[in-house]
Amino acid sequence: MTNRDLATRLGPTLTPDPRRVIIKLFVPGEDAALTRTRAAALIDRILLLDHDQTTEMLQQTLRRFGGRHHDLEATFAHHHDLIRHRVPRDVDLSLPARLLVGAYFSHEFAVEAAAVCNPSVIPHPDQSGLHSGQLRVAISLRQIGEGHLSSLGFATAVLGPGSDLDIADRSGTLSVGRRHLTHHRRDLLAAGLSDDAWDNEVTASMLRSLPERFEDDDFEHAIAQLPTDLLTRTSTQSTLEEMRRATRLEYAVAFPADLPLHRRILWPATAAECNGMEDARFVRIVDEDGRPSYRATYTAYDGQHIRSHLITSDDLRHFEITPMRGPAAVNKGMALFPRPVGGRSLALCRSDGETIGLTALDRHNSWQRPEPLHMPRRDWELIQVGNCGSPIETRFGWLVLTHGVGPMRDYAIGALLLDSHEPHRVIAELPGPLLTSDGAEREGYVPNVVYSCGSLLHDDAVWLPYGASDTRIGFARVPLDTLIKEMRPPQ
């Protein structure tokens, strides 16, 4: 602990584990102009093998990689099906040959070969078998692999009693889950079209024809109902393609009930997030009926653009993903309040890139233009400020952990306190940092960074997981009373 840090670091850390691998489709030469030639040539060479050679090579591959993946043969079969059009039509491959083709069109990807960072923490759905003073938690992780490609993973730990922290083993084969059909939401589609300035006669007619929750078949049926004078407009096809693109941003993924949480990977599944899913801010939500669920905002990155997306789950096994809409969702770093306040769904945001703001969800499912809460003022935050996850409800008010960026792009974590009933009012702030990068934490993929996407309150203490220099994850703890005592009215 440095002289100015208020939080106390705990012993355990989470470090990148290159053994955590998934299987991805691999098409030789896919980044070159001769893609089809290389892939076809590979298949031609495989076809020259006789049955015994094919069988033996397949078995060698299964022996070498079978223990690292679940149901490897099914993955090989799937990859064969994806590139089946490259196999000559008059060739009838045997099962071993199909699987061997699939193996050659597969490769391993180490999901956290470069780093794990930017965690959030929530109560785990399973609280069985614990002792007094303990809480089982789920920790979300940003995992960074080759090419700076990010996905979302999980770890499990037990907090308490006291300052004890026990992180569960993370070994075992990984799964990216199974995609499921999702019922698209008309209000989200309408909000997205409004955001992207696709408000015209075609979209208006389509939205009138669609039910509140619709499937792909409903969408095609609505197209068939379009009046002829709209179908013949020169802009209609581009409008319909934009609507299709918007609906494809929504999807669902599920995992087997017996697969432990730490083996579940949320992997990029749409064009909007093809270059990464970043910085998930998970929070346990309790609605006005008292029903709990889990939500998370995260940054979808396509290589050029960023956008806030939303994850919804009742059990951390089945996840629904949708884009977030409205002026407040155009940047990264949104964080949801854990419950409605004054009948409104609220979130923290940083839509201008440098100021913490407060936004509300309107009746059209659009996040409204934010109201500024806290601007860069102190020396350790003059470049920009943002939240470190969802507000924590305390008897003193809404506690918001923040991050600030100072000279040499040096990150630090601070704190604000918002009024319980009027969260647009900042009633106190921490004059100095709660946590700064220290010692070895300063070294890493991105030096001099401490950053968190969510903490929680347990046993009257704030438990803070944090990324250190975008490389590893550490943990810190501060008694709530100690933190509140150091806070001062805003100046």
Side-chain angles (χ1 to χ4, degrees):
M1 186 173 76
T2 67
N3 290 332
R4 55 178 179 162
D5 285 345
L6 191 61
T8 301
R9 287 169 170 80
L10 307 175
T13 59
L14 282 170
T15 57
D17 185 351
R19 297 171 299 178
R20 291 172 59 82
V21 291
I22 61 172
I23 303 178
K24 292 178 60 183
L25 179 69
F26 168 67
V27 181
E30 62 183 347
D31 56 349
L34 300 178
T35 298
R36 294 182 61 83
T37 302
R38 283 199 61 188
L42 170 59
I43 290 175
D44 289 342
R45 291 192 288 271
I46 296 173
L47 295 180
L48 293 175
L49 302 172
D50 63 32
H51 178 75
D52 289 343
Q53 290 174 308
T54 298
T55 302
E56 176 57 26
M57 291 173 65
L58 174 63
Q59 292 305 314
Q60 287 181 3
T61 304
L62 293 174
R63 285 193 296 269
R64 178 169 172 77
F65 293 94
R68 294 162 67 91
H69 304 280
H70 176 69
D71 203 356
L72 189 57
E73 291 189 34
T75 301
F76 288 165
H78 174 59
H79 285 181
H80 163 268
D81 291 345
L82 293 178
I83 57 88
R84 176 67 180 84
H85 64 286
R86 300 180 186 272
V87 179
R89 293 183 179 182
D90 59 346
V91 174
D92 185 18
L93 294 178
S94 66
L95 176 60
R98 293 198 299 271
L99 296 181
L100 187 61
V101 168
Y104 273 99
F105 283 82
S106 302
H107 77 122
E108 287 189 331
F109 183 89
V111 295
E112 54 188 59
V116 288
C117 58
N118 302 358
S120 65
V121 61
I122 46 177
H124 197 286
D126 178 17
Q127 295 295 324
S128 62
L130 299 178
H131 302 294
S132 177
Q134 291 185 321
L135 176 71
R136 182 173 290 112
V137 295
I139 304 166
S140 72
L141 317 171
R142 176 181 173 185
Q143 308 168 139
I144 305 176
E146 178 188 354
H148 200 73
L149 182 57
S150 296
S151 58
L152 304 179
F154 298 93
T156 299
V158 174
L159 312 183
S163 59
D164 288 351
L165 170 63
D166 181 24
I167 303 173
D169 177 71
R170 294 198 300 145
S171 62
T173 58
L174 306 182
S175 171
V176 296
R178 183 178 295 275
R179 285 284 297 271
H180 284 255
L181 293 176
T182 184
H183 287 80
H184 307 295
R185 290 176 49 175
R186 186 181 60 197
D187 61 344
L188 277 179
L189 176 59
L193 294 170
S194 177
D195 277 359
D196 298 333
W198 284 90
D199 183 12
N200 57 39
E201 290 77 13
V202 173
T203 57
S205 179
M206 288 287 292
L207 291 171
R208 283 195 299 268
S209 299
L210 291 171
E212 183 178 342
R213 299 292 292 240
F214 66 94
E215 298 179 356
D216 292 339
D217 288 346
D218 298 318
F219 185 87
E220 299 304 322
H221 179 73
I223 293 177
Q225 302 304 309
L226 279 174
T228 302
D229 50 355
L230 289 182
L231 277 173
T232 55
R233 295 182 65 178
T234 57
S235 62
T236 294
Q237 290 308 312
S238 59
T239 298
L240 293 176
E241 184 53 38
E242 176 62 23
M243 294 186 76
R244 286 193 179 96
R245 184 200 65 80
T247 60
R248 286 195 292 266
L249 296 178
E250 302 177 2
Y251 65 95
V253 61
F255 298 87
D258 60 351
L259 186 75
L261 180 62
H262 70 271
R263 292 167 54 189
R264 303 171 191 171
I265 304 295
L266 294 178
W267 184 257
T270 68
E273 59 193 29
C274 62
N275 275 63
M277 304 170 72
E278 304 177 358
D279 301 350
R281 285 161 161 80
F282 273 87
V283 62
R284 185 175 182 267
I285 296 283
V286 179
D287 64 22
E288 292 181 319
D289 296 327
R291 184 180 60 181
S293 63
Y294 298 94
R295 307 280 174 85
T297 61
Y298 71 94
T299 301
Y301 179 50
D302 67 3
Q304 292 182 309
H305 309 98
I306 58 173
R307 191 82 192 193
S308 292
H309 283 208
L310 177 69
I311 301 171
T312 302
S313 178
D314 289 334
D315 53 10
L316 300 184
R317 186 179 74 84
H318 181 274
F319 300 85
E320 293 188 359
I321 288 84
T322 56
M324 303 178 76
R325 300 299 187 181
V330 298
N331 212 313
K332 58 173 64 179
M334 292 192 71
L336 304 174
F337 277 64
R339 65 169 178 84
V341 182
R344 299 191 304 165
S345 295
L346 302 177
L348 302 174
C349 64
R350 195 182 63 192
S351 57
D352 68 352
E354 61 182 26
T355 304
I356 299 175
L358 178 70
T359 178
L361 190 66
D362 68 16
R363 61 187 182 88
H364 301 296
N365 212 61
S366 178
W367 290 97
Q368 300 172 15
R369 193 168 303 281
E371 178 179 355
L373 285 181
H374 180 70
M375 301 178 67
R377 288 191 296 109
R378 302 181 185 277
D379 59 347
W380 52 275
E381 60 177 18
L382 280 183
I383 293 179
Q384 68 190 46
V385 291
N387 68 74
C388 277
S390 293
I392 301 172
E393 189 168 15
T394 77
R395 62 186 182 276
F396 304 102
W398 294 102
L399 177 64
V400 176
L401 298 191
T402 67
H403 67 267
V405 184
M408 292 294 291
R409 200 170 178 261
D410 191 10
Y411 275 65
I413 294 177
L416 302 175
L417 192 65
L418 311 181
D419 184 88
S420 295
H421 305 291
E422 299 178 337
H424 61 278
R425 292 181 53 236
V426 178
I427 58 177
E429 60 183 29
L430 193 64
L434 175 68
L435 193 74
T436 57
S437 59
D438 180 35
E441 290 179 348
R442 298 186 60 188
E443 319 303 334
Y445 197 31
V446 182
N448 305 307
V449 171
V450 286
Y451 189 94
S452 179
C453 289
S455 51
L456 58 71
L457 188 65
H458 169 61
D459 199 20
D460 286 327
V462 177
W463 297 72
L464 170 64
Y466 61 94
S469 294
D470 280 14
T471 299
R472 65 195 72 82
I473 291 172
F475 297 85
R477 178 180 180 273
V478 58
L480 178 61
D481 286 344
T482 300
L483 176 55
I484 296 299
K485 184 178 180 181
E486 294 295 323
M487 301 182 81
R488 298 290 183 267
Q491 297 178 353

